[in-house]
Amino acid sequence: MNKWLRIIVLAVVMVATTGCFKKVTMDCRYHVRPYYQAESGGVAVQGEGTIAYAFAADTTQWTVASFEDALNGVLTSKTSGEKRSDAMSRAEQADSTVVVQLTATPATIVVVDTKNKLYCWRMTEVVENLPDLYVSITWRPWSAQKRYTEGAWRMNNEAYVAPEPEEPEEPETPTEPTEPTEPEGGNENNGNEGQYTPADPIE
């Protein structure tokens, strides 16, 4: 009886030990597929020339200050203005997607359209033992905004220039009234002050 008890206890210990040593990984391939829509209501076509960075960063503390920073993989602190360029991954577009490796959570992903000078970023939570994550973005340069959000993405188009407000049309200048012409003889001297005015002929 003691022999069987020992075997059962040993089996339980082995199962528990196996559970304790289960491999947990934090390594996710983040696939971004970019699209480009040139005009409102137009067809979204496959984007080109896209690069992406992944940072171990929280977007409540860090932001992307400019297109140049996005292009070079630089984040800026929202509180101190400190710059950092320690991306955990950088990738260029291959075929239809660009893939960055996420090894920490939370992660901030920065995506740049180098062809049209557009960029965007977002934060995501990395789930343990999730090997792949697939997302898509659509660049809309026709949008009459320099910055806007699309889902969780913060989209930026620094090339956008807001049209200048139209100046209101000036009302037509009213014609100045002309001074009335005085009837002949209405003026005692008829404009010839100091000169003799002959009397009307006697009928």
Side-chain angles (χ1 to χ4, degrees):
M1 184 68 179
N2 290 338
K3 177 182 177 182
W4 287 108
L5 182 60
R6 287 197 298 271
I7 292 173
I8 293 171
V9 171
L10 181 60
V12 171
V13 170
M14 289 179 65
V15 171
T17 304
T18 302
C20 290
F21 287 98
K22 182 180 179 181
K23 188 176 181 180
V24 176
T25 61
M26 185 75 71
D27 195 2
C28 176
R29 290 180 296 272
Y30 194 89
H31 303 251
V32 181
R33 178 167 290 183
Y35 292 93
Y36 185 87
Q37 186 185 46
E39 58 185 11
S40 178
V43 176
V45 299
Q46 185 68 56
E48 299 177 355
T50 303
I51 63 173
Y53 295 87
F55 294 86
D58 188 325
T59 54
T60 62
Q61 302 172 4
W62 298 89
T63 187
V64 183
S66 66
F67 173 77
E68 289 300 322
D69 280 1
L71 187 64
N72 295 307
V74 177
L75 296 184
T76 301
S77 170
K78 291 182 176 181
T79 55
S80 67
E82 172 194 354
K83 301 280 187 178
R84 57 180 286 193
S85 55
D86 56 343
M88 57 180 153
S89 177
R90 179 191 182 280
E92 297 183 8
Q93 183 175 349
D95 297 326
S96 61
T97 60
V98 55
V99 184
V100 286
Q101 207 77 18
L102 310 183
T103 56
T105 191
T108 293
I109 298 93
V110 181
V111 184
V112 187
D113 178 347
T114 61
K115 182 178 178 181
N116 300 289
K117 294 187 176 181
L118 307 167
Y119 65 101
C120 63
W121 74 91
R122 64 165 295 175
M123 186 179 74
T124 189
E125 298 289 342
V126 183
V127 180
E128 294 177 352
N129 296 329
L130 179 65
D132 293 278
L133 187 60
Y134 298 85
V135 298
S136 64
I137 59 172
T138 302
W139 307 108
R140 307 181 199 275
W142 54 264
S143 177
Q145 300 176 74
K146 198 167 188 175
R147 297 180 181 85
Y148 60 98
T149 59
E150 188 161 309
W153 294 97
R154 295 171 173 85
M155 314 295 288
N156 291 262
N157 179 9
E158 288 190 357
Y160 172 75
V161 178
E164 295 183 2
E166 296 183 1
E167 295 183 3
E169 294 183 3
E170 294 184 2
E172 294 183 3
T173 305
T175 305
E176 294 184 4
T178 57
E179 295 184 3
T181 304
E182 295 184 4
E184 294 182 5
N187 188 317
E188 185 176 297
N189 295 318
N190 198 24
N192 297 315
E193 186 176 355
Q195 297 183 13
Y196 173 75
T197 301
D200 292 333
I202 300 174
E203 294 184 1

